Amino acid sequence: MLIDFQREYFTGNVPLPEGEAAAANAARLVEWADRAGVLVVHVHHVAPSAQAALFTPGSDRVEPHPRLVPRAGHQRISKTLPSSFVGTELDAFLKGRGVDTLVVAGLMTHMCVDSTARDAVSARLPDGRRRRRLRDARPARPRYRRGGGACGDPPREPERARGPFRRRARDGGHRAAGVSPASAVDRR
């Protein structure tokens, strides 16, 4: 599933610094999926109002990135909210196709990718369905902590994680969150 690989994040109002690298990795993922016969779903955000500053309906900014234009056999779904499941036909489509595993790449990690992955796990897909987010095909803008420094920066003091958070703090949360590099898809 490719989420929001649209021109808004490349040449529009919210260009992402790592967007082109993520698009290249997502294009590799699509090539792999097409060769393997794996279903590809493109989810595109379209604002509900023509007055919206972002993802304005009818603008070129809602069009897909040139490397990630849906092909024959791919499914395209439009959404108006961060989650790809809320207010869309995605849930029924996936259940109707018997999909039990999601590989998710998209923009931006902290909003639409996260919302979609959470809904896939918690409310939309039955127990036993798996999802995998690709860490090098889902960039985000830096988020800043109170007191300065980006959230992904190393802490200023020695790590003080305790209990179940210790592992998550040491590996950046990637293993605990089911996040893999795009290159890992070929091995799974």
Side-chain angles (χ1 to χ4, degrees), residues 29 47 55 79 129 150 160 163 176 178:
L29 176 64
F55 301 103
K79 66 182 179 73
R129 293 207 181 174
R160 297 179 186 217

Side-chain angles (χ1 to χ4, degrees), residues 134-148:
L134 305 176
R135 76 170 163 244
D136 54 359
R138 54 180 188 82
R141 296 177 111 18
R143 292 174 288 161
Y144 294 94
R145 299 180 241 199
R146 188 178 306 184

Side-chain angles (χ1 to χ4, degrees), residues 1-6 41-45 76-94 102 104-108 111-120 124:
M1 180 181 339
L2 303 179
I3 302 171
D4 298 345
F5 278 99
Q6 295 165 261
V41 178
H42 299 259
V43 180
H44 293 154
H45 195 104
R76 184 173 181 173
I77 293 177
S78 294
K79 66 182 179 73
T80 59
L81 296 168
S83 174
S84 299
F85 286 96
V86 177
T88 73
E89 66 276 11
L90 179 61
D91 186 40
F93 175 77
L94 295 175
L102 295 179
V104 180
L107 311 173
M108 288 190 287
M111 184 55 91
C112 298
V113 174
D114 183 69
S115 297
T116 298
R118 287 174 189 265
D119 279 353
R124 305 294 174 193

Side-chain angles (χ1 to χ4, degrees), residues 25-37:
N25 286 329
R28 285 181 28 236
L29 176 64
V30 170
E31 292 296 328
W32 169 84
D34 286 344
R35 280 192 318 271

